[in-house]
Amino acid sequence: MNAVPDEPLQRVAELPGVDSAVGETRALVDRLLGHRILRRRSSDVSMESALRGARASAVLDGADADLEEVRAGRSGDP
């Protein structure tokens, strides 16, 4: 990796294995971008991803939210 002055993540980028993990992740993302269902139904996949992310964030904040309840709009936890 090229050193960038005052780059806050430079120390992390220099840790052993990070460079190869980044390369593997890029390859996996490229495979996902080429996936037929993801191309055809990207809005559905994006919506589901956002829903799951919001639920996970709420659970980390202490909410008790079942994914199916959240999906149906029935979660009683504000």
Side-chain angles (χ1 to χ4, degrees):
M1 292 198 166
N2 296 335
V4 176
D6 300 324
E7 176 63 42
L9 294 178
Q10 186 62 40
R11 287 181 30 201
V12 173
E14 293 170 352
L15 291 173
V18 170
D19 196 41
S20 63
V22 169
E24 290 173 30
T25 303
R26 282 183 178 154
L28 290 171
V29 168
D30 287 344
R31 282 183 55 200
L32 284 173
L33 290 173
H35 195 281
R36 179 176 47 95
I37 292 173
L38 291 178
R39 285 194 323 263
R40 269 193 208 148
R41 299 185 59 194
S42 65
S43 63
D44 293 337
V45 172
S46 295
M47 192 174 359
E48 181 68 15
S49 175
L51 176 80
R52 288 174 181 239
R55 183 217 169 241
S57 180
V59 169
L60 288 173
D61 266 351
D64 182 22
D66 179 74
L67 184 59
E68 292 304 318
E69 290 175 343
V70 173
R71 185 178 285 118
R74 293 190 313 257
S75 178
D77 193 328

